[in-house]
């Protein structure tokens, strides 16, 4: 299926690793020009090379902290200047720390809100005027299946991410018909974030080995495995494309069938 993304301009935030990187690679493979960002410059340079290998479009890598509104505005400006416009915004983020309610500090609650919610606010605020001007404008927000069913030991993700779905549903109404807004809800995909969560659980004595931890993450997944990050990236590219032209305000799980609701 030709997604018709060739020559379009995309920005994927928090994208030197994991699901953001996979989304950038999927868009680049479809021929889009893709801008990526992250704070760590070494990983960003490696990611730029990986995205560049995927297609013939241009790649722009900008060091930026998605919790800083000025840096996000500058990132969007540089993307628009470089590519001559912006058609697709994909927002990812780092993961909030794992933990139970009793172990979570007040500061961690505010940091999670900045990272997961305000980063999407800053990016969409800066990008919206450009997306409206495009004849293919889309927003895709990467969140988590935790917005549907709480995950044990992830109180910040379970509680704070739901605001992002409320934001996306509102944008899907307010930004239409010029811009479609959707979200993807990843289940477990083997990214550095999942590796870190498994290792945290290993430190807490929950598992005997990394492999046991990964098998545990897959145990409730009907497809009997965790996902490859590119399987999430492919869904992001589809939702960004005109092949999904009547999909607006959707929160699409990409989880191997784990969610029961
Ligand atoms: N992996 C999964 O299976 C899964 C499942 C459900 C939900 N999620 C969620 O999906 C999101 C992405 O997860 P992932 O697995 O792709 O994580 P990851 O592999 O750890 O990648 C996170 C990316 O975000 C960047 N980042 C983090 N904080 C940033 C900031 N303040 N400003 C700019 N960039 C920032 C990181 O680079 P720098 O640190 O260098 O900035 C990195 O490129 C997270 O919110 C995660 O909780 C993941």
């Amino acid at each position: 299926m030709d997604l018709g993304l060739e020559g379009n301009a995309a920005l994927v935030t928090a994208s030197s690793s994991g699901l953001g990187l996979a989304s950038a690679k999927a868009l680049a493979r479809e021929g889009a020009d893709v801008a990526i960002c992250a704070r760590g410059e070494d990983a960003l340079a490696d990611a730029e090379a990986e995205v560049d290998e995927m297609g013939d479009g241009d790649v722009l890598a900008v060091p930026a902290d998605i919790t800083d509104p000025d840096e996000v505005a500058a990132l969007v400006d540089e993307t628009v200047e470089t590519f001559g416009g912006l058609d697709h915004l994909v927002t990812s983020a780092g993961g909030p720390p794992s933990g139970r309610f009793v172990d979570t500090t007040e500061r961690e609650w505010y940091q999670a809100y900045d990272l997961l919610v305000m980063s999407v606010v800053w990016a969409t605020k800066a990008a919206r005027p450009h997306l409206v001007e495009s004849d293919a404008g889309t927003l895709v927000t990467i969140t988590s299946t935790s917005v549907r069913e709480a995950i044990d030991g992830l109180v910040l993700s379970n509680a704070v991410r739901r605001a992002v779905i409320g934001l996306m549903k509102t944008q899907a109404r307010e930004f239409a018909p010029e811009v479609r807004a959707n979200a993807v809800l990843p289940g477990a995909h083997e990214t550095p974030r999942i590796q870190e969560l498994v290792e945290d659980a290993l430190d807490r004595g929950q598992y005997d080995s990394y492999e046991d931890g990964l098998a545990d993450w897959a145990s409730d997944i009907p497809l009997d495995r965790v996902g490859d990050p590119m399987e999430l990236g492919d869904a992001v590219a589809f939702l960004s494309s005109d092949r999904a032209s009547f999909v607006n305000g959707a929160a699409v799980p990409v989880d191997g069938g784990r969610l029961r609701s």
Side-chain angles (χ1 to χ4, degrees):
M1 188 194 295
D2 178 7
L3 296 184
L5 291 168
E6 198 162 336
N8 286 9
L11 166 61
V12 185
T13 64
S15 42
S16 66
S17 167
L19 304 179
L21 174 59
S23 301
K25 287 166 70 172
L27 289 160
R29 189 198 53 213
E30 298 302 321
D33 296 330
V34 181
I36 59 173
C37 83
R39 295 162 304 177
E41 300 196 18
D42 291 347
L44 188 62
D46 292 345
E48 181 181 14
E50 271 192 60
V51 177
D52 200 28
E53 273 175 17
M54 299 299 290
D56 295 332
D58 294 332
V59 182
L60 172 70
V62 182
D65 183 338
I66 56 170
T67 64
D68 181 323
D70 294 334
E71 290 190 25
V72 173
L75 165 69
V76 170
D77 284 349
E78 191 172 342
T79 303
V80 170
E81 266 168 39
T82 307
F83 297 153
L86 181 62
D87 304 297
H88 312 291
L89 173 66
V90 178
T91 61
S92 191
S98 59
R100 291 145 54 100
F101 178 81
V102 290
D103 304 318
T104 305
T105 64
E106 180 179 339
R107 189 173 160 73
E108 284 171 332
W109 278 97
Y110 285 112
Q111 283 174 337
Y113 193 77
D114 272 342
L115 181 63
L116 298 177
V117 183
M118 293 315 293
S119 68
V120 184
V121 172
W122 304 137
T124 52
K125 215 174 162 60
R128 195 195 67 84
H130 307 288
L131 299 176
V132 167
E133 274 179 24
S134 160
D135 55 10
T138 62
L139 280 168
V140 179
T141 300
I142 299 173
T143 61
S144 168
T145 54
S146 67
V147 303
R148 285 263 197 94
E149 292 175 5
I151 300 170
D152 290 343
L154 287 183
V155 67
L156 291 171
S157 180
N158 295 339
V160 176
R161 284 186 197 278
R162 290 191 182 220
V164 176
I165 295 300
L167 177 61
M168 178 279 291
K169 290 301 255 182
T170 306
Q171 290 167 337
R173 302 188 66 80
E174 291 186 359
F175 296 0
E178 290 85 359
V179 179
R180 292 184 294 106
N182 292 292
V184 285
L185 316 184
H189 294 255
E190 197 180 358
T191 66
R193 160 77 175 158
I194 286 293
Q195 290 162 359
E196 183 191 310
L197 290 175
V198 171
E199 274 154 17
D200 283 353
L202 202 56
D203 290 346
R204 291 197 300 269
Q206 204 173 322
Y207 305 124
D208 291 333
S209 69
Y210 178 81
E211 290 66 32
D212 281 353
L214 210 56
D216 191 30
W217 275 80
S219 64
D220 201 25
I221 300 175
L223 293 185
D224 203 23
R225 63 178 176 84
V226 298
D228 183 298
M230 283 307 286
E231 293 178 294
L232 190 283
D234 287 340
V236 168
F238 169 71
L239 289 171
S240 300
S241 80
D242 207 39
R243 299 287 82 77
S245 53
F246 204 52
V247 183
N248 185 36
V252 181
V254 184
D255 69 343
R258 191 188 59 79
L259 282 180
R260 290 164 199 270
S261 55

